[in-house]
Amino acid sequence: QVQFVESGGGLVQPGGSLRLSCAASGSIFRIYTMGWYRQPPGKQRELVAVISSGGSTNYADSVKGRFTISRDNAKNTAYLQMNTLKPEDTAIYYCNVPGSGGSWGPGTQVTVSS
């Protein structure tokens, strides 16, 4: 089973940027569609960005135009570039294979506040 470790979160002012990384174990990372999720305080986890094994991407309306998902199969890593951050982007961010039912990593906290 593939496991994930997220990193790159932190405290940033509104309008700022962060780049999250998702390191995956296993040599077959390249065949998976990958997703970035987030769980705001007191709310359910939601899917915000998806990238297929071939590089096709899709985004939730709330982040479209501000977030960019990418992947480096040679490094078994997925990324989430987040620009023009808003306070409502504050959440714990996770990566996983959508619909797989796989275990979740520790996540990385993103806090957007002045």
Side-chain angles (χ1 to χ4, degrees):
Q1 186 177 13
V2 181
Q3 295 183 323
F4 305 102
V5 177
E6 303 87 355
S7 62
L11 173 64
V12 62
Q13 292 186 344
S17 298
L18 282 174
R19 189 193 193 205
L20 306 184
S21 297
C22 165
S25 65
S27 60
I28 56 174
F29 168 81
R30 67 187 183 280
I31 72 172
Y32 292 120
T33 291
M34 288 298 304
W36 277 99
Y37 297 76
R38 68 185 181 188
Q39 186 166 17
K43 297 184 179 181
Q44 290 190 336
R45 188 177 288 153
E46 60 177 352
L47 180 63
V48 297
V50 175
I51 185 167
S52 72
S53 58
S56 298
T57 59
N58 205 357
Y59 300 91
D61 288 344
S62 59
V63 307
K64 198 171 294 183
R66 300 188 298 121
F67 290 11
T68 302
I69 188 171
S70 61
R71 66 193 299 161
D72 185 337
N73 290 336
K75 295 182 178 180
N76 279 9
T77 302
Y79 304 96
L80 187 68
Q81 177 67 44
M82 306 187 296
N83 298 328
T84 319
L85 282 161
K86 304 175 181 180
E88 51 264 43
D89 295 319
T90 294
I92 302 175
Y93 284 72
Y94 303 87
C95 60
N96 211 325
V97 178
S100 68
S103 59
W104 295 92
T108 186
Q109 175 71 50
V110 172
T111 302
V112 185
S113 175
S114 55

